PDB file of all heavy atoms in Angstrom:
ATOM      1  N   THR A  37    -139.578-129.541  20.095  1.00 90.00           N
ATOM      2  CA  THR A  37    -139.185-129.456  18.681  1.00 90.00           C
ATOM      3  C   THR A  37    -138.213-128.312  18.456  1.00 90.00           C
ATOM      4  O   THR A  37    -137.194-128.475  17.764  1.00 90.00           O
ATOM      5  CB  THR A  37    -140.431-129.274  17.799  1.00 90.00           C
ATOM      6  OG1 THR A  37    -141.313-130.378  17.994  1.00 90.00           O
ATOM      7  CG2 THR A  37    -140.039-129.191  16.334  1.00 90.00           C
ATOM      8  N   VAL A  38    -138.520-127.172  19.022  1.00 88.00           N
ATOM      9  CA  VAL A  38    -137.620-126.017  18.886  1.00 88.00           C
ATOM     10  C   VAL A  38    -136.256-126.353  19.482  1.00 88.00           C
ATOM     11  O   VAL A  38    -135.209-126.103  18.866  1.00 88.00           O
ATOM     12  CB  VAL A  38    -138.224-124.777  19.574  1.00 88.00           C
ATOM     13  CG1 VAL A  38    -137.224-123.625  19.555  1.00 88.00           C
ATOM     14  CG2 VAL A  38    -139.520-124.370  18.892  1.00 88.00           C
ATOM     15  N   LEU A  39    -136.251-126.951  20.658  1.00 87.00           N
ATOM     16  CA  LEU A  39    -135.004-127.252  21.364  1.00 87.00           C
ATOM     17  C   LEU A  39    -134.141-128.248  20.588  1.00 87.00           C
ATOM     18  O   LEU A  39    -132.955-127.995  20.331  1.00 87.00           O
ATOM     19  CB  LEU A  39    -135.316-127.804  22.749  1.00 87.00           C
ATOM     20  CG  LEU A  39    -134.122-128.243  23.605  1.00 87.00           C
ATOM     21  CD1 LEU A  39    -133.226-127.054  23.905  1.00 87.00           C
ATOM     22  CD2 LEU A  39    -134.599-128.902  24.890  1.00 87.00           C
ATOM     23  N   LEU A  40    -134.715-129.376  20.180  1.00 89.00           N
ATOM     24  CA  LEU A  40    -133.923-130.425  19.544  1.00 89.00           C
ATOM     25  C   LEU A  40    -133.537-130.078  18.103  1.00 89.00           C
ATOM     26  O   LEU A  40    -132.487-130.515  17.625  1.00 89.00           O
ATOM     27  CB  LEU A  40    -134.682-131.752  19.567  1.00 89.00           C
ATOM     28  CG  LEU A  40    -134.889-132.375  20.946  1.00 89.00           C
ATOM     29  CD1 LEU A  40    -135.537-133.746  20.832  1.00 89.00           C
ATOM     30  CD2 LEU A  40    -133.569-132.485  21.705  1.00 89.00           C
ATOM     31  N   THR A  41    -134.364-129.310  17.411  1.00 90.00           N
ATOM     32  CA  THR A  41    -134.002-128.909  16.053  1.00 90.00           C
ATOM     33  C   THR A  41    -132.782-128.009  16.053  1.00 90.00           C
ATOM     34  O   THR A  41    -131.966-128.041  15.112  1.00 90.00           O
ATOM     35  CB  THR A  41    -135.176-128.190  15.359  1.00 90.00           C
ATOM     36  OG1 THR A  41    -136.333-129.027  15.382  1.00 90.00           O
ATOM     37  CG2 THR A  41    -134.838-127.860  13.906  1.00 90.00           C
ATOM     38  N   LEU A  42    -132.633-127.205  17.092  1.00 88.00           N
ATOM     39  CA  LEU A  42    -131.526-126.255  17.150  1.00 88.00           C
ATOM     40  C   LEU A  42    -130.218-126.889  17.609  1.00 88.00           C
ATOM     41  O   LEU A  42    -129.174-126.236  17.531  1.00 88.00           O
ATOM     42  CB  LEU A  42    -131.889-125.098  18.100  1.00 88.00           C
ATOM     43  CG  LEU A  42    -133.055-124.207  17.651  1.00 88.00           C
ATOM     44  CD1 LEU A  42    -133.336-123.150  18.707  1.00 88.00           C
ATOM     45  CD2 LEU A  42    -132.773-123.552  16.308  1.00 88.00           C
ATOM     46  N   VAL A  43    -130.251-128.148  18.082  1.00 86.00           N
ATOM     47  CA  VAL A  43    -129.026-128.790  18.591  1.00 86.00           C
ATOM     48  C   VAL A  43    -127.894-128.796  17.564  1.00 86.00           C
ATOM     49  O   VAL A  43    -126.769-128.391  17.876  1.00 86.00           O
ATOM     50  CB  VAL A  43    -129.327-130.217  19.085  1.00 86.00           C
ATOM     51  CG1 VAL A  43    -128.034-131.002  19.314  1.00 86.00           C
ATOM     52  CG2 VAL A  43    -130.126-130.166  20.384  1.00 86.00           C
ATOM     53  N   PRO A  44    -128.110-129.237  16.302  1.00 87.00           N
ATOM     54  CA  PRO A  44    -126.983-129.253  15.352  1.00 87.00           C
ATOM     55  C   PRO A  44    -126.488-127.859  14.971  1.00 87.00           C
ATOM     56  O   PRO A  44    -125.381-127.723  14.450  1.00 87.00           O
ATOM     57  CB  PRO A  44    -127.561-129.973  14.125  1.00 87.00           C
ATOM     58  CG  PRO A  44    -128.778-130.672  14.613  1.00 87.00           C
ATOM     59  CD  PRO A  44    -129.308-129.827  15.726  1.00 87.00           C
ATOM     60  N   TYR A  45    -127.318-126.835  15.220  1.00 86.00           N
ATOM     61  CA  TYR A  45    -126.958-125.474  14.818  1.00 86.00           C
ATOM     62  C   TYR A  45    -126.524-124.621  16.006  1.00 86.00           C
ATOM     63  O   TYR A  45    -126.602-123.401  15.961  1.00 86.00           O
ATOM     64  CB  TYR A  45    -128.157-124.802  14.125  1.00 86.00           C
ATOM     65  CG  TYR A  45    -128.717-125.603  12.981  1.00 86.00           C
ATOM     66  CD1 TYR A  45    -129.914-126.310  13.122  1.00 86.00           C
ATOM     67  CD2 TYR A  45    -128.060-125.670  11.763  1.00 86.00           C
ATOM     68  CE1 TYR A  45    -130.439-127.053  12.082  1.00 86.00           C
ATOM     69  CE2 TYR A  45    -128.587-126.411  10.705  1.00 86.00           C
ATOM     70  CZ  TYR A  45    -129.766-127.097  10.876  1.00 86.00           C
ATOM     71  OH  TYR A  45    -130.265-127.836   9.836  1.00 86.00           O
ATOM     72  N   VAL A  46    -126.072-125.280  17.065  1.00 84.00           N
ATOM     73  CA  VAL A  46    -125.714-124.548  18.279  1.00 84.00           C
ATOM     74  C   VAL A  46    -124.583-123.560  18.017  1.00 84.00           C
ATOM     75  O   VAL A  46    -124.493-122.513  18.660  1.00 84.00           O
ATOM     76  CB  VAL A  46    -125.344-125.546  19.398  1.00 84.00           C
ATOM     77  CG1 VAL A  46    -124.079-126.316  19.049  1.00 84.00           C
ATOM     78  CG2 VAL A  46    -125.180-124.842  20.727  1.00 84.00           C
ATOM     79  N   GLY A  47    -123.710-123.870  17.049  1.00 78.00           N
ATOM     80  CA  GLY A  47    -122.616-122.954  16.726  1.00 78.00           C
ATOM     81  C   GLY A  47    -123.113-121.639  16.168  1.00 78.00           C
ATOM     82  O   GLY A  47    -122.544-120.575  16.456  1.00 78.00           O
ATOM     83  N   ALA A  48    -124.187-121.672  15.374  1.00 76.00           N
ATOM     84  CA  ALA A  48    -124.742-120.443  14.808  1.00 76.00           C
ATOM     85  C   ALA A  48    -125.548-119.668  15.841  1.00 76.00           C
ATOM     86  O   ALA A  48    -125.587-118.431  15.817  1.00 76.00           O
ATOM     87  CB  ALA A  48    -125.630-120.774  13.607  1.00 76.00           C
ATOM     88  N   ILE A  49    -126.184-120.386  16.764  1.00 77.00           N
ATOM     89  CA  ILE A  49    -126.997-119.722  17.776  1.00 77.00           C
ATOM     90  C   ILE A  49    -126.133-119.096  18.859  1.00 77.00           C
ATOM     91  O   ILE A  49    -126.444-118.018  19.373  1.00 77.00           O
ATOM     92  CB  ILE A  49    -127.970-120.742  18.403  1.00 77.00           C
ATOM     93  CG1 ILE A  49    -128.851-121.343  17.323  1.00 77.00           C
ATOM     94  CG2 ILE A  49    -128.812-120.102  19.492  1.00 77.00           C
ATOM     95  CD1 ILE A  49    -129.655-122.517  17.798  1.00 77.00           C
ATOM     96  N   ALA A  50    -125.036-119.784  19.206  1.00 76.00           N
ATOM     97  CA  ALA A  50    -124.123-119.298  20.243  1.00 76.00           C
ATOM     98  C   ALA A  50    -122.748-119.075  19.620  1.00 76.00           C
ATOM     99  O   ALA A  50    -121.892-119.971  19.678  1.00 76.00           O
ATOM    100  CB  ALA A  50    -124.045-120.284  21.398  1.00 76.00           C
ATOM    101  N   PRO A  51    -122.514-117.919  18.990  1.00 74.00           N
ATOM    102  CA  PRO A  51    -121.240-117.673  18.303  1.00 74.00           C
ATOM    103  C   PRO A  51    -120.033-117.746  19.232  1.00 74.00           C
ATOM    104  O   PRO A  51    -118.920-118.024  18.784  1.00 74.00           O
ATOM    105  CB  PRO A  51    -121.412-116.257  17.730  1.00 74.00           C
ATOM    106  CG  PRO A  51    -122.888-116.024  17.703  1.00 74.00           C
ATOM    107  CD  PRO A  51    -123.443-116.787  18.855  1.00 74.00           C
ATOM    108  N   GLY A  52    -120.229-117.492  20.515  1.00 77.00           N
ATOM    109  CA  GLY A  52    -119.114-117.519  21.443  1.00 77.00           C
ATOM    110  C   GLY A  52    -118.662-118.915  21.826  1.00 77.00           C
ATOM    111  O   GLY A  52    -117.616-119.081  22.463  1.00 77.00           O
ATOM    112  N   LEU A  53    -119.428-119.925  21.432  1.00 80.00           N
ATOM    113  CA  LEU A  53    -119.073-121.297  21.761  1.00 80.00           C
ATOM    114  C   LEU A  53    -117.873-121.739  20.920  1.00 80.00           C
ATOM    115  O   LEU A  53    -117.828-121.473  19.716  1.00 80.00           O
ATOM    116  CB  LEU A  53    -120.261-122.216  21.491  1.00 80.00           C
ATOM    117  CG  LEU A  53    -120.210-123.629  22.075  1.00 80.00           C
ATOM    118  CD1 LEU A  53    -120.313-123.576  23.593  1.00 80.00           C
ATOM    119  CD2 LEU A  53    -121.368-124.464  21.509  1.00 80.00           C
ATOM    120  N   PRO A  54    -116.861-122.386  21.538  1.00 83.00           N
ATOM    121  CA  PRO A  54    -115.702-122.859  20.758  1.00 83.00           C
ATOM    122  C   PRO A  54    -116.133-123.746  19.593  1.00 83.00           C
ATOM    123  O   PRO A  54    -117.063-124.546  19.728  1.00 83.00           O
ATOM    124  CB  PRO A  54    -114.885-123.645  21.790  1.00 83.00           C
ATOM    125  CG  PRO A  54    -115.280-123.061  23.103  1.00 83.00           C
ATOM    126  CD  PRO A  54    -116.717-122.672  22.968  1.00 83.00           C
ATOM    127  N   LYS A  55    -115.446-123.594  18.462  1.00 84.00           N
ATOM    128  CA  LYS A  55    -115.817-124.341  17.267  1.00 84.00           C
ATOM    129  C   LYS A  55    -115.718-125.850  17.482  1.00 84.00           C
ATOM    130  O   LYS A  55    -116.511-126.619  16.944  1.00 84.00           O
ATOM    131  CB  LYS A  55    -114.928-123.921  16.102  1.00 84.00           C
ATOM    132  CG  LYS A  55    -115.167-122.491  15.628  1.00 84.00           C
ATOM    133  CD  LYS A  55    -114.314-122.164  14.416  1.00 84.00           C
ATOM    134  CE  LYS A  55    -114.574-120.741  13.923  1.00 84.00           C
ATOM    135  NZ  LYS A  55    -113.744-120.409  12.717  1.00 84.00           N
ATOM    136  N   GLU A  56    -114.727-126.275  18.285  1.00 86.00           N
ATOM    137  CA  GLU A  56    -114.563-127.698  18.533  1.00 86.00           C
ATOM    138  C   GLU A  56    -115.777-128.264  19.271  1.00 86.00           C
ATOM    139  O   GLU A  56    -116.262-129.361  18.963  1.00 86.00           O
ATOM    140  CB  GLU A  56    -113.301-127.960  19.354  1.00 86.00           C
ATOM    141  CG  GLU A  56    -111.993-127.615  18.652  1.00 86.00           C
ATOM    142  CD  GLU A  56    -111.710-126.114  18.667  1.00 86.00           C
ATOM    143  OE1 GLU A  56    -112.485-125.379  19.338  1.00 86.00           O
ATOM    144  OE2 GLU A  56    -110.758-125.683  18.004  1.00 86.00           O
ATOM    145  N   VAL A  57    -116.286-127.498  20.237  1.00 84.00           N
ATOM    146  CA  VAL A  57    -117.452-127.948  21.002  1.00 84.00           C
ATOM    147  C   VAL A  57    -118.689-127.998  20.107  1.00 84.00           C
ATOM    148  O   VAL A  57    -119.458-128.973  20.127  1.00 84.00           O
ATOM    149  CB  VAL A  57    -117.692-127.019  22.209  1.00 84.00           C
ATOM    150  CG1 VAL A  57    -118.971-127.430  22.956  1.00 84.00           C
ATOM    151  CG2 VAL A  57    -116.500-127.036  23.149  1.00 84.00           C
ATOM    152  N   ALA A  58    -118.877-126.934  19.313  1.00 83.00           N
ATOM    153  CA  ALA A  58    -120.036-126.881  18.419  1.00 83.00           C
ATOM    154  C   ALA A  58    -119.997-128.020  17.407  1.00 83.00           C
ATOM    155  O   ALA A  58    -121.017-128.658  17.113  1.00 83.00           O
ATOM    156  CB  ALA A  58    -120.077-125.537  17.695  1.00 83.00           C
ATOM    157  N   SER A  59    -118.805-128.309  16.874  1.00 86.00           N
ATOM    158  CA  SER A  59    -118.656-129.392  15.911  1.00 86.00           C
ATOM    159  C   SER A  59    -118.935-130.752  16.541  1.00 86.00           C
ATOM    160  O   SER A  59    -119.577-131.619  15.936  1.00 86.00           O
ATOM    161  CB  SER A  59    -117.245-129.374  15.316  1.00 86.00           C
ATOM    162  OG  SER A  59    -117.045-130.426  14.418  1.00 86.00           O
ATOM    163  N   THR A  60    -118.483-130.928  17.773  1.00 87.00           N
ATOM    164  CA  THR A  60    -118.720-132.193  18.479  1.00 87.00           C
ATOM    165  C   THR A  60    -120.203-132.405  18.731  1.00 87.00           C
ATOM    166  O   THR A  60    -120.730-133.510  18.537  1.00 87.00           O
ATOM    167  CB  THR A  60    -117.958-132.204  19.816  1.00 87.00           C
ATOM    168  OG1 THR A  60    -116.564-132.036  19.568  1.00 87.00           O
ATOM    169  CG2 THR A  60    -118.203-133.504  20.562  1.00 87.00           C
TER     170      THR A  60
END
């Protein structure tokens, strides 16, 4: 539950991730 709930919010959890990747 913790893992899958955080999937759409990966951009907020990993700020260094490119915005295009997080959006995809």
Side-chain angles (χ1 to χ4, degrees):
T37 301
V38 174
L39 177 63
L40 293 185
T41 304
L42 295 178
V43 167
Y45 306 104
V46 66
I49 302 170
L53 194 68
K55 292 183 179 180
E56 295 78 7
V57 176
S59 178
T60 301

